[in-house]
Amino acid sequence: MPEKTNRKGIIVDIAQGLFSRFGFLKTTIDEIAKAARMGKASLYHYFRNKEDIFREVINKESKVLSNKIREAVDKEETPQEKIKAFIITRMKYLKELVNIYAALKDEYLTHYAFIEKARENNYKEEIETVKAILDEGIAKKIFIAPDVELTSFAIISALKGLEYPWTIKIPVPELEDNLNKLLEILFNGIVKK
Amino acid sequence: MPEKTNRKGIIVDIAQGLFSRFGFLKTTIDEIAKAARMGKASLYHYFRNKEDIFREVINKESKVLSNKIREAVDKEETPQEKIKAFIITRMKYLKELVNIYAALKDEYLTHYAFIEKARENNYKEEIETVKAILDEGIAKKIFIAPDVELTSFAIISALKGLEYPWTIKIPVPELEDNLNKLLEILFNGIVKK
DNA sequence: AAATAGAACATAAAACAAATATGTTCGAAC
DNA sequence: GTTCGAACATATTTGTTTTATGTTCTATTT
């Protein structure tokens, strides 16, 4: 834990809390400034504009998410376990990191260019993460080697399709149980051997 | 082809055309009436209200979609081919049937109770269709028998996740090629045997 | 009865203006 | 390098009026 002596980092932390509670649109520069015990004009010494503050918050949360996922994946031995760790960790922390979640999902943020950038970055990173696991599995002769690019894309897309009905309707323990069954399909298919 | 002598059916056809072009909100009762060469008050002899007209249009398109899918699925022999036929036919006709597509996807229709009903019905029917194919495959000793309910749910959800990026980014011939590869995974998995 | 529509009605949407809130800039002070 | 009061331009909200639209009523026609 590095001590925060730099003003900028502190402001980002404070903004993160406000954005988490009220969202990007409903949080005002003035509120952030007051919470940081500053005049709002002072914020412009550290940030170009409001978007810039939100961008930094999102960057911060993105890094936290990436690190959590990397840790969880690295901890596992088999590529099968790595894929499972990726999915579970992603679902768990995405829900906690309110701002990056909003940046990725909320319709009303779609128009902002920097949000689109964040989404694209996140998408590419997720694809890359899965691709790396698949490649490793292939190198270890555990997975067969079809179209890795397409398979990664499919896993991520399918995950997004499952995400919404899953998180809404289903309690967490049952969720892991279901995930195991679906991974069983991903790994071994549904055709009798 | 039954000759349309009944006024109600004709009105529904006309409304279908207008709703397809302008959507539910932007189509007025007056426009429908004029297109049918009637005063708008006369429409209320056949329909309770505007929603009621749209509901009939959606019902009509739903039946078309269901029939197309049933035909395509029944035509195939193996359960593998049936699943593929289901997915392709669904994607193809859903795009053509503008109103049911809007009813299922458009955010601005979410609040209407009758739209929610239509979505739920569609969802259940899709799940049932896939479940029937899976059950048949299991009965024929082609598929293994895990959690059929969950598997159907997963196939439909994953499909919805794939649908959007797929239809946007990818040309149709490549799409069928990709689908084949993904079905290969669904059937046989990615783990080396 | 069944079908039609003109007119009236209530409500929703659009248009407009005034008031307020908010993001951003500037210049001065520390 | 930091801070901020004040000013500014613009976005948002609010209240009001007008218009458009969905629906009902009643009378007339078939």
Side-chain angles (χ1 to χ4, degrees):
Chain A
M1 298 289 161
E3 280 298 318
K4 290 258 168 162
T5 58
N6 63 335
R7 304 285 291 126
K8 191 169 179 180
I10 292 172
I11 296 169
V12 169
D13 288 351
I14 288 168
Q16 182 180 24
L18 290 171
F19 284 136
S20 295
R21 266 176 285 181
F22 309 119
F24 175 66
L25 260 35
K26 294 287 188 183
T27 302
T28 71
I29 294 276
D30 216 37
E31 286 170 336
I32 298 171
K34 279 190 180 128
R37 299 175 203 274
M38 311 172 77
K40 63 176 173 174
S42 307
L43 289 182
Y44 287 83
H45 188 257
Y46 299 95
F47 305 92
R48 234 185 302 278
N49 50 37
K50 191 183 174 187
E51 288 185 13
D52 201 35
I53 304 178
F54 196 54
R55 184 184 2 253
E56 299 247 18
V57 170
I58 287 174
N59 274 343
K60 187 186 159 198
E61 293 193 2
S62 280
K63 281 175 191 160
V64 171
L65 181 62
S66 295
N67 288 336
K68 291 286 182 187
I69 288 175
R70 192 189 353 268
E71 282 171 27
V73 169
D74 286 351
K75 199 180 293 173
E76 301 298 332
E77 271 298 311
T78 70
Q80 288 97 323
E81 289 295 329
K82 281 176 193 282
I83 288 181
K84 184 182 167 188
F86 165 77
I87 293 175
I88 285 189
T89 311
R90 177 182 172 282
M91 289 187 83
K92 179 176 172 192
Y93 285 101
L94 202 48
K95 264 193 288 188
E96 288 181 20
L97 299 166
V98 177
N99 295 301
I100 221 219
Y101 185 85
L104 297 181
K105 311 280 177 187
D106 278 359
E107 184 59 31
Y108 77 97
L109 291 174
T110 298
H111 321 291
Y112 295 91
F114 75 106
I115 294 286
E116 293 295 346
K117 277 266 167 56
R119 289 180 185 181
E120 202 178 315
N121 288 342
N122 178 267
Y123 178 74
K124 281 181 184 166
E125 191 177 332
E126 289 183 343
I127 295 272
E128 277 311 307
T129 303
V130 172
K131 210 151 79 78
I133 299 175
L134 291 177
D135 282 334
E136 191 189 325
I138 289 166
K140 286 186 176 172
K141 313 278 188 194
I142 294 170
F143 292 156
I144 55 178
D147 193 327
V148 177
E149 192 75 42
L150 176 65
T151 307
S152 313
F153 159 76
I155 290 174
I156 296 298
S157 298
L159 194 58
K160 288 179 197 287
L162 281 164
E163 204 168 41
Y164 177 71
W166 238 353
T167 52
I168 297 296
K169 298 179 190 165
I170 298 175
V172 179
E174 191 179 339
L175 201 146
E176 184 158 352
D177 190 45
N178 285 346
L179 178 59
N180 282 328
K181 288 180 185 170
L182 294 190
L183 287 176
E184 169 63 23
I185 292 176
L186 173 65
F187 296 142
N188 296 312
I190 61 174
V191 170
K192 208 166 204 167
K193 299 299 164 354
Chain B
M1 295 291 159
E3 279 298 316
K4 290 255 168 163
T5 59
N6 63 336
R7 305 282 293 125
K8 191 168 179 180
I10 292 171
I11 295 169
V12 169
D13 288 350
I14 288 168
Q16 182 181 24
L18 290 171
F19 284 136
S20 295
R21 266 176 285 181
F22 309 119
F24 175 66
L25 262 33
K26 294 286 187 183
T27 302
T28 72
I29 294 274
D30 217 35
E31 286 169 336
I32 297 171
K34 281 191 180 127
R37 298 174 202 275
M38 312 172 75
K40 63 176 175 176
S42 307
L43 289 181
Y44 287 83
H45 188 257
Y46 300 95
F47 305 93
R48 234 187 302 276
N49 50 38
K50 190 182 174 186
E51 288 185 13
D52 201 34
I53 305 178
F54 196 54
R55 186 187 357 258
E56 300 247 19
V57 170
I58 287 174
N59 274 343
K60 187 185 158 198
E61 294 194 1
S62 280
K63 280 173 191 160
V64 172
L65 181 62
S66 295
N67 288 336
K68 292 285 182 188
I69 288 174
R70 193 190 351 270
E71 283 171 27
V73 168
D74 286 352
K75 198 179 296 174
E76 301 296 334
E77 272 299 312
T78 69
Q80 289 98 324
E81 289 295 329
K82 280 176 194 283
I83 288 182
K84 185 182 166 188
F86 165 76
I87 293 175
I88 285 189
T89 310
R90 177 184 173 280
M91 288 187 84
K92 179 177 173 190
Y93 285 100
L94 202 48
K95 263 194 287 187
E96 289 181 18
L97 299 167
V98 177
N99 295 302
I100 221 219
Y101 185 86
L104 296 181
K105 311 282 177 183
D106 277 0
E107 183 59 32
Y108 77 97
L109 292 173
T110 299
H111 321 292
Y112 295 91
F114 75 105
I115 293 286
E116 294 294 346
K117 276 265 168 58
R119 289 181 186 181
E120 203 178 313
N121 288 342
N122 177 268
Y123 178 74
K124 279 180 185 165
E125 190 178 331
E126 288 184 343
I127 294 271
E128 277 311 308
T129 303
V130 172
K131 213 151 80 79
I133 299 174
L134 291 178
D135 282 333
E136 192 190 324
I138 290 166
K140 287 186 176 172
K141 314 277 189 194
I142 294 170
F143 292 157
I144 54 177
D147 192 328
V148 177
E149 192 75 42
L150 176 65
T151 306
S152 314
F153 158 76
I155 289 174
I156 296 298
S157 299
L159 194 57
K160 287 180 198 286
L162 281 163
E163 204 168 40
Y164 177 72
W166 239 353
T167 52
I168 297 297
K169 297 179 190 164
I170 296 177
V172 178
E174 192 180 337
L175 200 147
E176 185 159 351
D177 188 47
N178 284 347
L179 178 59
N180 282 327
K181 288 180 184 170
L182 295 190
L183 287 177
E184 169 63 21
I185 292 176
L186 173 65
F187 297 141
N188 297 311
I190 61 174
V191 169
K192 208 166 203 166
K193 301 299 169 344

